[in-house]
Amino acid sequence: MNITSPGAVLVLGGARSGKSAFAERLVAETGLSRHYIATGRAFDGEMRQRIAWHREDRGDGWQTHEEPLALAARIKDVARPDRAVLVDCLTLWVTNLMLEERDIAAESTGLIEAIRQAPGRLVLVTNEVGLGIVPENRMAREFRDHAGRLHQQVAALVPQVYFVAAGLPLKMKG
């Protein structure tokens, strides 16, 4: 796909906004083989439970690929013209990069290139983190800034962008 292809979609929203369910419907509507790239890591019991709920909500028919760090490489590996790929989520990926002290600008550049080159349907889910107050600590501010810059880059690249609130998708682009 190129940047004018209708195949790439960015889905933003807050926590528990319904963005993942909406993104899953977008993938299911394609009728293509469904692939799920999960970026979350289960550091504790609560996160393990969230991951289990997501798997249960998705149901059968998905092939899951866990990738907390090398997201660009995994997209290049998984994306095919006959597949629909859902990446959930970019903000967890940014968190993982920060925890591993990776070069987020370089990783983001690699991700943008992978999105640009990905064949088939690609749906990217992320948490909008810039609507609240300025975080009180440096790490949280850096996270918000990294995520915001990445969202701007992805939104500029992909032909479709949705914002989901209260389970209702608002088409912002495309």
Side-chain angles (χ1 to χ4, degrees), residues 4-5 21 40 46 53 69 79 86-87 92 94 100 117 126 134 164 170:
T4 60
S5 167
E46 189 266 342
W53 286 333
L69 296 169
L86 176 82
V87 175
L92 286 176
V94 169
E100 298 293 327
Q117 295 176 7
T126 194
V134 175
V164 180
L170 171 67

Side-chain angles (χ1 to χ4, degrees), residues 75-173:
I75 289 171
K76 289 177 183 178
D77 181 52
V78 173
R80 299 281 180 274
D82 61 341
R83 294 178 177 174
V85 178
L86 176 82
V87 175
D88 198 353
C89 83
L90 296 182
T91 44
L92 286 176
W93 177 67
V94 169
T95 298
N96 295 335
L97 294 175
M98 289 181 72
L99 292 174
E100 298 293 327
E101 298 182 0
R102 303 281 282 264
D103 182 342
I104 296 172
E107 297 281 352
S108 295
T109 297
L111 177 63
I112 293 300
E113 192 56 34
I115 295 168
R116 185 184 317 277
Q117 295 176 7
R121 176 70 138 184
L122 181 63
V123 179
L124 303 133
V125 175
T126 194
N127 291 289
E128 176 50 61
V129 296
L131 296 175
I133 62 172
V134 175
E136 70 178 26
N137 68 71
R138 180 179 177 182
M139 184 176 186
R141 286 188 301 273
E142 288 176 358
F143 168 76
R144 180 208 50 201
D145 294 348
H146 289 307
R149 282 190 290 272
L150 178 61
H151 294 164
Q152 289 181 55
Q153 290 176 305
V154 174
L157 174 65
V158 303
Q160 294 181 37
V161 178
Y162 290 88
F163 184 82
V164 180
L168 302 171
L170 171 67
K171 193 169 197 177
M172 300 176 72
K173 180 182 175 184

Side-chain angles (χ1 to χ4, degrees), residues 24 27-28 32-36 52-64:
E24 290 165 13
V27 167
L32 300 172
S33 171
R34 294 177 284 171
H35 291 257
Y36 187 97
W53 286 333
H54 267 279
R55 284 186 181 140
E56 185 177 316
D57 287 346
R58 275 196 309 278
D60 295 330
W62 290 84
Q63 183 172 343
T64 301

